[in-house]
Structure formats: structure tokens, C-alpha cells
Amino acid sequence: MSQGVIYVASGASYVRKAATSAESLRTHNPDLPITLFTDESVESPAFNEIVNVDVDIAEKGDSILSRDHLRYDKTLFLDADTFVAADISDVFTALDRFDIVAAHNEARAWYHQDIYQQAGVDLPECFPEYNSGVVGYNDNRKVRQLFDRWNEAYTELDYE
């Protein structure tokens, strides 16, 4: 069963941030494959694979995952601005039990309140939000359906 990490970065400054993050990841998980999705021309030893994307990926949001991001059986998506400070292999162990895992978002509902109101979402205070920049997931039917619906909802909200 394959496992690896992906980054999605548009523009030179975010590609540099992703490379720095990938280097921090390699310090603690040197054998983990790392894939970068980007609209830039990149040559960096930080990544095992670079997937060039023809569209402006920043316009649709770098953290909106899709079927295109199902690169491994078990994948960890990291935002370009993350820093890996320790071994992260426990994320893949958690994926033995759960289809998707994510870090809690410290910002809570007030951060996106206007978007939630526009979409008619009443998010109770007790319901945690997740950081879309640290997401582990399995490649299976349920996750593919979730990603499809996530992209549909994001499009319906005009990429907000």
C-alpha cells in the first residue's frame, strides 16, 4: 500500500514555501515520497514528483482537494506554509481506521461566518472546523465522493 505527501502551490513564492516545508518533512520522514502540484516550472530535490497543472490553481483555492490529488493509497496533503517538526507517520496509521483525518482549525466559525450565512449553514459552536491545509485521506470510493461534493459546493459558492 503506497503512502506519500502532496503539496499544491501556485506562484514562485508558494513553491519556495512548499520546498521549505518538504525539506522539514524529509528531516523526520526521509523515505516518504513527496509530490508537488504546481503551475510553475520547478526543479527541486525536495520533491520526488512534480505535476504541472495547466490552470491557475490559486484561483480555485490551493486547499480544495479533488480526485486529481489521489496520488497514493494513503495521502497527506500539506499547505505550502506548514513546517514539519517531528515524525508524521502516525497520520498514516490513523488512516488504517479512518478514511479521512484532519487537524483542527483554531479559527472557528467566526472566521468564515459571512460565507456560512450565504450558504445557509448554521454551524453550532460545539462543532469543530478542520484545517484544510493538513488533511490525510485514503483513496477509496467514499473519499472520491467527498472530494467531488467538496468541489461542487466550492464552485456553487463562487470559490469562496
Side-chain angles (χ1 to χ4, degrees):
M1 182 165 281
S2 65
Q3 56 187 37
V5 175
I6 69 162
Y7 291 89
V8 179
S10 57
S13 67
Y14 283 99
V15 169
R16 283 192 300 275
K17 287 178 183 183
T20 299
S21 178
E23 290 164 6
S24 72
L25 173 65
R26 288 221 182 276
T27 299
H28 304 287
N29 298 86
D31 298 325
L32 202 54
I34 304 172
T35 299
L36 171 68
F37 291 83
T38 185
D39 55 2
E40 294 286 312
S41 177
V42 177
E43 289 186 31
S44 171
F47 306 106
N48 297 85
E49 179 184 26
I50 297 171
V51 178
N52 288 102
V53 188
D54 291 336
V55 297
D56 182 4
I57 55 180
E59 187 173 309
K60 289 193 175 183
D62 291 354
S63 296
I64 306 303
L65 298 171
S66 72
R67 287 177 183 243
D68 293 338
H69 301 122
L70 295 165
R71 212 61 181 177
Y72 307 98
D73 296 320
K74 295 180 177 185
T75 301
L76 173 62
F77 167 77
L78 293 175
D79 264 350
D81 62 354
T82 57
F83 182 82
V84 179
D87 180 356
I88 52 91
S89 57
D90 283 351
V91 171
F92 299 104
T93 303
L95 291 171
D96 289 339
R97 183 168 179 197
F98 303 101
D99 287 328
I100 191 163
V101 296
H104 282 176
N105 188 352
E106 74 286 351
R108 290 294 302 132
W110 59 266
Y111 186 74
H112 300 291
Q113 192 62 40
D114 57 332
I115 296 167
Y116 292 144
Q117 287 175 349
Q118 175 188 345
V121 174
D122 183 19
L123 190 65
E125 282 296 317
C126 65
F127 189 82
E129 289 185 72
Y130 296 98
N131 181 338
S132 62
V134 181
V135 181
Y137 51 90
N138 290 314
D139 182 357
N140 63 33
R141 181 186 55 79
K142 289 179 184 178
V143 170
R144 289 189 293 274
Q145 288 174 337
L146 171 68
F147 286 179
D148 289 347
R149 181 61 193 121
W150 189 1
N151 280 269
E152 290 168 13
Y154 193 59
T155 302
E156 288 171 9
L157 289 171
D158 198 25
Y159 306 110
E160 287 288 336

